[in-house]
């Protein structure tokens, strides 16, 4: 926790305005309201500096805190607070009361500051998160195409593992052109698909109506555009990861890690030296269990899920890859937990182990060596 201060400012940040309270150790209180445009933010900064504030504290409300931090950075100590950790007691709620509460906590050093990434790290993280959103949007479009095909009683997704692969797209485009199953099968050259001819004939016993053709074509065009944008972001991520080349190589040495997962995880972690132990990093990722203790009874619950949901999602994806992979030390760890706790808890436990391993590797500047896997070679 922070040391006590004499004069501080607490701010309640909203989309269109800031409600700020300056609080002194002698009880003096000043309250002011500011807009969120640049001129108003500069007026806010001057108001704080003129009143000789030692620190400014506000909640990490969406992205609204970012321009405030940008204006104040380098001029005064800025404390970004986790809204969950400084929640006020229930009662009459006003913007003035909220800002005064934040100021009071700041005055007495009762706010644990949230991590604020440097500019380069923030930009890299924004790009990796944008890429994740694009991938989610692409998946949404693909699901809509699946829905249209199912609605038309065309069941090719039950025959092909991926209808958006080369053969799947060939069949889908033929359906959009109004071709029947005989014409479609004549155009297919893949021996693997031809072996499933009868299954495909059973799956395609009807055609697409004009309205569904329009919708599917629209979704395919959106998918193509999204993939173009994903490729643009991939190139930008590769360029920005050059300054973290050694860290990236260390992360890629772990089983199941690919460039996308490794770069995303490193972007979400930022400077690993901000954490004193691997346990702290795992806790920051929300992968440690909740703990409740009363008298001599200690109860552990599910993981806290606090912190970055993006790093948790990526670590879980890597854990699933390891769980489906061949023989490895990490796979054996997963299987031991799976027998005792079930698959879901074993995946989460493996995800937590992965981030702890990554921390130790980064701390010691070493690459991961799977002893069990090397013995089988």
């Amino acid at each position: 926790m922070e040391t006590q201060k004499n004069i501080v400012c607490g701010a309640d940040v909203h989309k269109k305005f800031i409600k700020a309270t300056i609080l002194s150790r002698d009880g003096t209180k000043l309250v002011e309201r500011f807009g969120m445009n640049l001129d108003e933010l500069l007026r806010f900064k001057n108001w704080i500096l003129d009143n000789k504030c030692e620190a400014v504290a506000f909640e990490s409300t969406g992205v609204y805190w970012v321009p405030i931090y940008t204006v104040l950075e380098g001029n005064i100590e800025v404390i970004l607070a986790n809204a969950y950790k400084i929640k006020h007691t229930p009662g009459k709620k006003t913007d003035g009361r909220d800002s005064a509460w934040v100021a009071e906590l700041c005055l007495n050093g009762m706010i644990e500051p949230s991590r604020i990434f440097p500019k380069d790290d923030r930009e890299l993280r924004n790009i990796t998160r944008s890429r994740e959103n694009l991938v989610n949007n692409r998946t949404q479009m693909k699901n809509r195409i699946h829905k249209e095909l199912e609605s038309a009683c065309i069941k090719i997704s039950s025959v092909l593992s991926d209808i958006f692969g080369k053969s799947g797209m060939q069949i889908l485009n033929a359906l959009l052109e109004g071709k029947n199953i005989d014409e479609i099968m004549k155009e297919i050259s893949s021996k693997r698909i031809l072996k499933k001819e009868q299954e495909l004939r059973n799956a395609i016993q009807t055609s697409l109506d004009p309205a569904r053709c329009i919708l599917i074509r629209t979704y395919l065009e959106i998918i193509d555009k999204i993939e173009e944008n994903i490729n643009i972001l991939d190139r930008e991520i590769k360029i920005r990861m050059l300054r973290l080349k050694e860290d990236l190589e260390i992360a890629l040495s772990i089983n199941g890690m690919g460039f996308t997962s490794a770069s995303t995880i490193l972007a979400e972690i930022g400077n690993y030296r901000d954490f004193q132990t691997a346990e702290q990093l795992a806790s920051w990722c929300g992968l440690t269990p909740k703990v409740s203790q009363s008298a001599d009874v200690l109860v552990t619950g599910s993981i806290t899920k606090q912190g970055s949901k993006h790093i948790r999602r990526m670590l879980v994806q890597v854990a699933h890859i390891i769980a489906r992979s061949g023989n490895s030390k990490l796979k054996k760890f997963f299987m031991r937990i799976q027998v005792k706790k079930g698959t879901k808890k074993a995946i989460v436990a493996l995800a937590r182990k992965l981030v702890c391993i990554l921390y130790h590797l980064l701390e010691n500047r070493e690459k991961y060596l799977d002893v069990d896997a090397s013995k089988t070679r």
Side-chain angles (χ1 to χ4, degrees):
M1 294 295 179
E2 298 206 348
T3 56
Q4 293 184 349
K5 296 176 173 60
N6 295 314
I7 305 176
V8 299
C9 176
D12 187 31
V13 180
H14 297 268
K15 182 178 180 179
K16 295 183 179 179
F17 68 90
I18 305 167
K19 191 75 170 186
T21 299
I22 291 178
L23 188 62
S24 302
R25 181 65 58 186
D26 60 8
T28 304
K29 184 186 293 186
L30 298 175
V31 182
E32 186 65 79
R33 176 178 167 135
F34 302 89
M36 284 293 286
N37 58 47
L38 183 57
D39 289 339
E40 284 290 286
L41 292 180
L42 291 173
R43 186 169 73 88
F44 176 52
K45 182 184 78 171
N46 293 331
W47 181 67
I48 292 169
L49 296 177
D50 291 343
N51 284 281
K52 296 180 172 53
C53 287
E54 299 171 32
V56 182
F58 45 85
E59 296 176 355
S60 53
T61 310
V63 296
Y64 306 135
W65 64 270
V66 178
I68 304 173
Y69 177 80
T70 303
V71 169
L72 297 177
E73 186 180 16
N75 295 283
I76 189 173
E77 181 185 354
V78 180
I79 300 173
L80 186 65
N82 186 321
Y84 176 80
K85 294 182 179 180
I86 64 168
K87 189 176 181 180
H88 202 349
T89 53
K92 186 177 180 181
K93 185 181 183 303
T94 65
D95 297 332
R97 281 173 175 258
D98 287 345
S99 64
W101 172 250
V102 175
E104 184 177 343
L105 294 176
C106 181
L107 189 67
N108 294 287
M110 297 176 66
I111 298 178
E112 182 181 356
S114 297
R115 294 176 68 214
I116 302 178
F117 285 25
K119 185 174 183 294
D120 289 344
D121 291 347
R122 288 204 304 269
E123 290 177 351
L124 175 60
R125 187 178 60 175
N126 286 339
I127 293 172
T128 56
R129 289 183 177 183
S130 296
R131 186 193 185 282
E132 180 184 326
N133 289 333
L134 288 175
V135 171
N136 291 338
N137 292 338
R138 181 179 63 184
T139 302
Q140 186 180 36
M141 291 300 108
K142 289 182 177 181
N143 288 339
R144 289 184 179 181
I145 291 175
H146 279 290
K147 178 183 175 182
E148 295 301 331
L149 293 174
E150 290 291 331
S151 299
C153 203
I154 295 176
K155 308 289 186 177
I156 56 175
S157 59
S158 62
V159 180
L160 304 181
S161 58
D162 181 16
I163 68 169
F164 299 99
K166 182 179 179 181
S167 299
M169 287 301 300
Q170 188 177 4
I171 295 171
L172 185 56
N173 287 325
L175 287 170
L176 292 173
E177 293 170 5
K179 296 179 180 180
N180 58 39
I181 185 61
D182 293 326
E183 294 172 316
I184 292 173
M185 294 309 301
K186 288 178 182 178
E187 295 178 355
I188 294 176
S189 58
S190 172
K191 294 181 180 180
R192 183 177 59 85
I193 301 300
L194 289 173
K195 290 179 180 179
K196 300 180 179 180
E197 179 177 353
Q198 189 55 50
E199 295 178 60
L200 281 172
R201 289 184 178 276
N202 294 334
I204 305 173
Q205 296 182 355
T206 183
S207 60
L208 292 170
D209 59 64
R212 286 199 170 92
C213 287
I214 292 172
L215 290 175
I216 292 175
R217 284 197 179 97
T218 301
Y219 298 149
L220 288 173
E221 289 176 3
I222 294 173
I223 289 172
D224 288 341
K225 186 61 179 177
I226 290 174
E227 287 180 344
E228 288 178 13
N229 292 329
I230 289 174
N231 291 333
I232 292 172
L233 294 186
D234 281 339
R235 289 193 292 270
E236 184 63 25
I237 292 170
K238 287 179 180 178
I239 293 171
R240 290 176 178 269
M241 287 302 295
L242 289 175
R243 65 184 179 86
L244 299 171
K245 183 179 178 181
E246 188 179 356
D247 290 358
L248 180 62
E249 290 175 352
I250 290 172
L252 288 173
S253 68
I254 301 176
N255 297 356
M257 285 280 192
F259 176 81
T260 298
S261 55
S263 58
T264 300
I265 290 169
L266 290 174
E268 290 295 325
I269 291 174
N271 187 356
Y272 65 90
R273 295 183 182 89
D274 290 344
F275 305 96
Q276 295 181 358
T277 65
E279 286 294 327
Q280 283 188 0
L281 176 56
S283 177
W284 182 81
C285 294
L287 289 170
T288 53
K290 300 173 184 175
V291 177
S292 176
Q293 184 174 16
S294 179
D296 292 329
V297 180
L298 180 66
V299 179
T300 56
S302 60
I303 58 173
T304 62
K305 291 188 178 181
Q306 294 181 16
S308 170
K309 63 181 180 181
H310 307 279
I311 191 171
R312 281 198 304 277
R313 183 181 294 117
M314 193 57 69
L315 287 167
V316 166
Q317 286 182 14
V318 175
H320 276 289
I321 292 172
I322 294 172
R324 295 193 300 267
S325 64
N327 185 39
S328 69
K329 192 173 181 180
L330 292 173
K331 172 73 173 288
K332 290 180 179 179
F333 170 82
F334 164 77
M335 294 176 68
R336 286 199 304 270
I337 304 298
Q338 185 185 35
V339 171
K340 299 176 183 177
K341 302 289 185 179
T343 301
K344 290 184 178 180
K345 290 185 178 180
I347 287 291
V348 173
L350 181 54
R352 178 183 173 279
K353 188 175 185 67
L354 283 170
V355 76
C356 291
I357 289 173
L358 179 59
Y359 176 85
H360 287 296
L361 293 174
L362 292 171
E363 183 71 21
N364 297 309
R365 313 313 294 167
E366 297 174 348
K367 291 187 178 181
Y368 181 74
L369 178 62
D370 193 317
V371 179
D372 288 354
S374 63
K375 286 180 180 178
T376 61
R377 291 173 185 169

